[in-house]
Amino acid sequence: MKKKFNLYCGLLIAAIVFSIGVEMFQTCFHMVQGGQAGWEAARKEQMMGKRKDPMETVRMMYKMAPVEMLPKAETYANFSTGDSIVNLKTGEKMPIMITGGLVMPENGSNRMGVMQAVSYVSFAFLIVFMVAFIKLVLSVNKGHIFEQSMETQLAWGGWAVLAMYILQWIGALYNYVMNVYEFDFETYNIELVQMPNFALLYSAFGMLLMGQIFKIGRQMREEQELTI
């Protein structure tokens, strides 16, 4: 039984590490691309006798605004957004409806910096969850099942996951409110399309519920021992 439990726990940790690794790789990849573009632009301007701060491109990236949008009803009906894209395989120029993208306003706010700060806090709660989860696995392997320490680890893990879910909503709503405040597009409505993963919410309440179940089991065992 413990072998299956450890296998499932290992698969869960591997899935979490893989998902985090993919997101971190994407973030680092875009940051490296931006840094390389900045240094290359600065090098070319320096060769032309101009001086440019290589970090300017990075600062411009922080002004980028992720926008989610859907065509307005009148444009959606006849597919006339005015946007198009070229298929290089056939050379065909096709109309396209954009549902999301990055815009870079001239006087944009430090939006990406704020959202990055939210992600750092979320990462801290992820570490709390991982520590609680590892301690939980160790407790089960040692046979310390109906003990208060297990209830504590389940509670810490549940509240950490709930905090991550709330932080995802804070980031999404902050970005949406800023988009509504700053932009008004001719053929598109600002929308909130990608919402936080509800699986986090289910997992959080599931862990908190399991903690209460183990607490009830521990209390029942203590009552039985007192009765005997």
Side-chain angles (χ1 to χ4, degrees):
M1 184 178 292
K2 285 186 178 180
K3 287 183 178 180
K4 281 189 176 181
F5 176 79
N6 291 331
L7 175 62
Y8 294 149
C9 290
L11 290 173
L12 178 59
I13 293 175
I16 293 172
V17 171
F18 176 75
S19 62
I20 296 171
V22 170
E23 292 180 1
M24 290 183 66
F25 173 78
Q26 289 179 330
T27 302
C28 293
F29 178 74
H30 292 308
M31 289 182 67
V32 169
Q33 275 192 323
Q36 288 178 342
W39 284 106
E40 184 64 22
R43 187 185 65 83
K44 288 181 178 180
E45 293 200 359
Q46 189 174 12
M47 292 176 61
M48 298 172 61
K50 299 180 181 178
R51 298 188 64 181
K52 183 179 180 180
D53 185 0
M55 294 300 295
E56 184 176 343
T57 302
V58 178
R59 287 193 291 269
M60 289 175 63
M61 289 180 63
Y62 276 100
K63 293 182 180 181
M64 290 191 305
V67 179
E68 294 178 333
M69 49 193 173
L70 291 174
K72 294 181 178 179
E74 59 271 17
T75 57
Y76 185 80
N78 54 17
F79 214 85
S80 60
T81 60
D83 300 314
S84 62
I85 191 169
V86 176
N87 182 3
L88 294 178
K89 290 187 175 181
T90 62
E92 179 185 3
K93 187 176 182 181
M94 303 171 292
I96 185 175
M97 286 186 177
I98 300 172
T99 58
L102 293 170
V103 297
M104 191 177 296
E106 187 174 343
N107 297 315
S109 58
N110 188 21
R111 186 183 310 193
M112 297 299 289
V114 174
M115 296 179 69
Q116 191 174 21
V118 173
S119 67
Y120 288 154
V121 178
S122 181
F123 184 73
F125 280 111
L126 176 63
I127 294 176
V128 173
F129 166 77
M130 293 296 293
V131 171
F133 185 77
I134 292 172
K135 287 185 176 181
L136 182 67
V137 174
L138 294 175
S139 296
V140 173
N141 280 275
K142 291 178 181 178
H144 303 161
I145 298 178
F146 291 102
E147 294 186 4
Q148 192 171 4
S149 61
M150 192 167 186
E151 302 161 19
T152 303
Q153 302 310 325
L154 284 168
W156 274 99
W159 288 117
V161 174
L162 183 61
M164 287 188 287
Y165 177 76
I166 293 173
L167 284 169
Q168 283 190 5
W169 268 111
I170 290 174
L173 290 175
Y174 168 76
N175 187 61
Y176 171 74
V177 171
M178 291 296 293
N179 285 337
V180 172
Y181 176 74
E182 293 182 1
F183 307 122
D184 184 14
F185 301 119
E186 183 179 0
T187 55
Y188 291 94
N189 290 319
I190 302 296
E191 300 286 346
L192 180 60
V193 180
Q194 295 183 352
M195 298 185 184
N197 192 348
F198 285 99
L200 289 176
L201 187 62
Y202 305 147
S203 300
F205 288 131
M207 293 186 71
L208 293 173
L209 179 61
M210 286 179 61
Q212 291 301 307
I213 292 173
F214 278 100
K215 182 177 181 179
I216 294 171
R218 177 178 59 83
Q219 291 175 345
M220 291 177 64
R221 188 188 66 176
E222 291 175 353
E223 290 174 359
Q224 288 177 351
E225 290 176 349
L226 289 173
T227 302
I228 296 173

